Amino acid sequence: MPISQMEEKFPAAYADFVKVCGTLEEHYRDMQDMEFTVENGKLYMLQCRSGKRTAQAALKIACDLVDEGMISEEQAVLMIEPRNLDTLLHPQFDAAALKAATPIGRGLGASPGAACGKIVFSAEDAKAWAARKEKVVLVRLETSPEDIEGMKAAQGVLTVRGGMTSHAAVVARGMGECCVSGCGDIVMDEENKRFTLGGKEFHEGDAISLDGSTGNIYDGIIPTVDATIAGEFGRIMGWADKYRTNADTPADAARAVELGAQGIGLTRTEHMFFDADRIAAFREMICSDTLEERVAALAKIEPMQRADFEGIYEAMGDRPVTIRFLDPPLHEFVPTDEADIEALAKAQGKSVERIKSIIASLHEFNPMMGHRGCRLAVTYPEIAEMQTRAVIKAALAVRARHPEWDIRPEIMIPLVGEVKELKYVKDVVVKVADELIAAAGSPMKYLVGTMIEIPRAALTADAIATEAEFFSFGTNDLTQMTFGFSRDDAGKFLGAYYDRKIYESDPFARLDQAGVGKLVEMACRLGRQTRPDLHLGICGEHGGDPSSVEFCHKVGLDYVSCSPFRVPIARLAAAQAAIKEKNA
Amino acid sequence: MPISQMEEKFPAAYADFVKVCGTLEEHYRDMQDMEFTVENGKLYMLQCRSGKRTAQAALKIACDLVDEGMISEEQAVLMIEPRNLDTLLHPQFDAAALKAATPIGRGLGASPGAACGKIVFSAEDAKAWAARKEKVVLVRLETSPEDIEGMKAAQGVLTVRGGMTSHAAVVARGMGECCVSGCGDIVMDEENKRFTLGGKEFHEGDAISLDGSTGNIYDGIIPTVDATIAGEFGRIMGWADKYRTNADTPADAARAVELGAQGIGLTRTEHMFFDADRIAAFREMICSDTLEERVAALAKIEPMQRADFEGIYEAMGDRPVTIRFLDPPLHEFVPTDEADIEALAKAQGKSVERIKSIIASLHEFNPMMGHRGCRLAVTYPEIAEMQTRAVIKAALAVRARHPEWDIRPEIMIPLVGEVKELKYVKDVVVKVADELIAAAGSPMKYLVGTMIEIPRAALTADAIATEAEFFSFGTNDLTQMTFGFSRDDAGKFLGAYYDRKIYESDPFARLDQAGVGKLVEMACRLGRQTRPDLHLGICGEHGGDPSSVEFCHKVGLDYVSCSPFRVPIARLAAAQAAIKEKNA
């Protein structure tokens, strides 16, 4: 029965309904979706909830309600579900075409947005096809740093292995590109450029579509519509505003400032080496047999790092920039290709066998828990010396050009588990930095801090804070270590955990407050016991998740840092947390 | 100057010295090693310390002092350094020959004792050579379950990779066999059966000697002397006595009882599958494509497990036995050998390609943090069902033969990180167990508990204890996750950490009280908050380390469990901790 007939048939119930509607909408100050029934002429309300709407409509409604004086600007900020902003920031499938399509498989929705294109199986092919204006989707068993340029050239990335924070997922989110990871149902045959999924065999050049939000994979092309940021978006975001970004290059830094970032919470210095012309020097460093060889290779790297840091400081002005020293295991960078191995051997004047034996010696059983982070700086202090020189020289050079900027480098030592380990590396940094600053003739302040990403660092944060001038929680690794899962392997069993209702959500996407959160809270408390003005931030993927941002605010973090494309979401969530706390 | 001349030359100083000696020896109630000087006829005491002695001498002195009424039995127990007992329990090098030898390299002293023999490069060769009465030392890049029988056949094991708790180290300690692990200086060429160390190339059949206490490696044969347990040993141990053992087979269990174990703290059910005639069924289980195939393979395994459990219960009487359900990642068990792969394919009626593709799909980036422990039971509950049947049927059968024994099975679920995960597996166990016990017609109690080896389990121990009826701390894994190191990879950088005085001792050998210990303490406190009578134990390698045992006693653990060969050391350390506490 249409609602218009209700007034005639059940006048008393209708009058009641109109009154209740007014009460409910006034109470919730939002459009309501209500269920009710009428029995023997009497109205029974069954339930009500705020009406569902698209992100665009939500922004429009919020702005209208402010204009009508129904709600305040703060209330408008609270009304927007930050998670939904994703759809405003990335391409989406055409709604009608999507409805008509049936997924042929599903992976993890690792980086939001929609992508369609022709299948290619290697980064080289992705680049070559894209160069002749083909739209491509890169399908790989897993990705590695060598694939970065191919990922850039593709519309989207699909991987067979790897979780929400695998290489493919993290890099794609950083680029704002669609990615579906860990689709274990794919039977891959990379060599012959084909795979099977959902009973069908796919070859190079076949069309495929990916939904990076749901993880769905579709056969054929589903048309996409580009991201459209309506006028209301800017208006709401203007009302909102604590956030930094993760940015690894001058270009990232510039884009982040554009999207509203107030600083850089994480610059991953190793990401600077993925470009083809740079990785050669980096590989020479890795394959050095002696200190002299390593120092010579580091000398080639230093000017590149320094130039990048200069570009970042130029883009950020005097906004804070936290630079993390080399973190990943070295074997992530070694060549796998015969030709690359030969080139490296030639460059170093070594035999191909020697290079292969060095590469083999870098093998690790559990690379996540291996020779990486500050453990590299403890074994090879010359790496930390080079990185310190690059940071400090860049900061001094940019300040010389912009004397009005108060540039204060923040150097972050990753993967610390013990205060003496941090002190060892910090001593190396301070010696180099102080000499350069003294030689420059005018003082410059800098900070040395650490990532809290190893459970032991959180447990001994009172001791760590005697040396660390700031903490940044690396919640990706902290989640891995606290749960004892590897991000790349958890895909094999997490599905069963969701089915059996053991976990409700992916702990890599939403911060686990009961376990990981307890360590974060403990580290904040212990750290500030030692150093009351300790600066605290978070730079894991969780920085882009609204409920996690709210938790971070509650335990007293000063800033959250996430990939540039998540900055608006984090901004909104941080603003909501602050408003809720003020009103509590 | 001999001491006899002192009386003549400096009579006053000598009289003082005799008096001071008496005072000091009375005070320390032990033989003293004293330094002094005489200046201008005046005696200056510089320092004194209890005299060094061999383990045998220490036992003799302690017994003599008790007999002379100088010290009590308790004091005698406190006088023995538990660590030194190792030398009583394992073969040692002849002291004079050792003094004359120079080590050619050094690894980690992973399992004490001395070994010498001819070099072999594979488990098969070790078995073949040993069968013709050759003494051999097995040298491998690393060991895997397939090498177990070859390890048994060898005098000692030397590995290039792996830490104090690598496969080789753990298995060797369990066997009481000498092992030096992680000697990264070895340049290995397994294929051609040769390696280079200390500038020399070694081939199959060359002689080598290993010291499993210091980690030293020697060229050639250094004669060894067998372990000799003097009469005083038994006497002191009789005065001492809280300890269980780790035992995986009926034979282990019997030996453990002989060495004084009061129960089994850890039975690793997977160790039952390493024998050649058993691993086939286990591999069929792993390579199952369907539930039916898996159930059929499990049906072959069940009677073997049940028979082992019966043997263990027969050996242990009604001493407590804690049985841990399947823990390691499945890929540890898959065949690597072409012939084994073919045999498996044939047994399952599958193609070799299919088996290879299943094996490939089991690949993990970080196996330590992958699909293992209770994650296997969550994805394949039928494994937990089979193991429950085997345990309960064995206990019922043994009790039927020995009605006077109060057998109470303790089932331990490994690698739990979340209470709902434990509950899911416990529900599976309880359903199967209760049905079997009801069918048997007479009641039998059993306990379901968990390992605390994931930081999150310790952090949420109050929740975990709502389901767990006991906790056993798996401090090997807990140390790995808390430090964020893999036990097998840490060898690459721990050397630099010792050199730079960042760590004083190997956290896998001596429990890290500041970090890991904090989690242990927290878990004890939170667990007993929920369940005041919660039974607490430790079953990691640390159970055999004296200072760690003392810590466990302090935080209120009820028992420690370690490998049979470490039981005497743990017994002594536990007794010392109890005496110290009583006297405090």
Side-chain angles (χ1 to χ4, degrees), chain A residues 374 415-424 450 454 456-458 460 463-464 467, chain B residues 483 485 497 501-504 512 514-515:
Chain A
C374 67
L415 216 74
V416 163
E418 156 63 40
V419 63
K420 288 189 213 160
E421 180 183 31
L422 172 60
K423 182 175 186 329
Y424 180 82
T450 187
I454 297 256
R456 196 174 187 280
T460 62
I464 305 263
E467 293 293 333
Chain B
F483 276 86
F485 306 153
Y497 276 71
K501 308 243 180 287
I502 294 173
Y503 293 126
E504 311 265 314
D512 159 54

Side-chain angles (χ1 to χ4, degrees), chain B residues 456-478:
Chain B
R456 196 175 187 278
L459 292 164
T460 64
D462 43 352
I464 304 264
T466 60
E467 293 294 332
E469 294 169 292
F470 61 86
F471 284 175
S472 179
F473 290 91
T475 49
N476 292 352
D477 275 4
L478 192 60

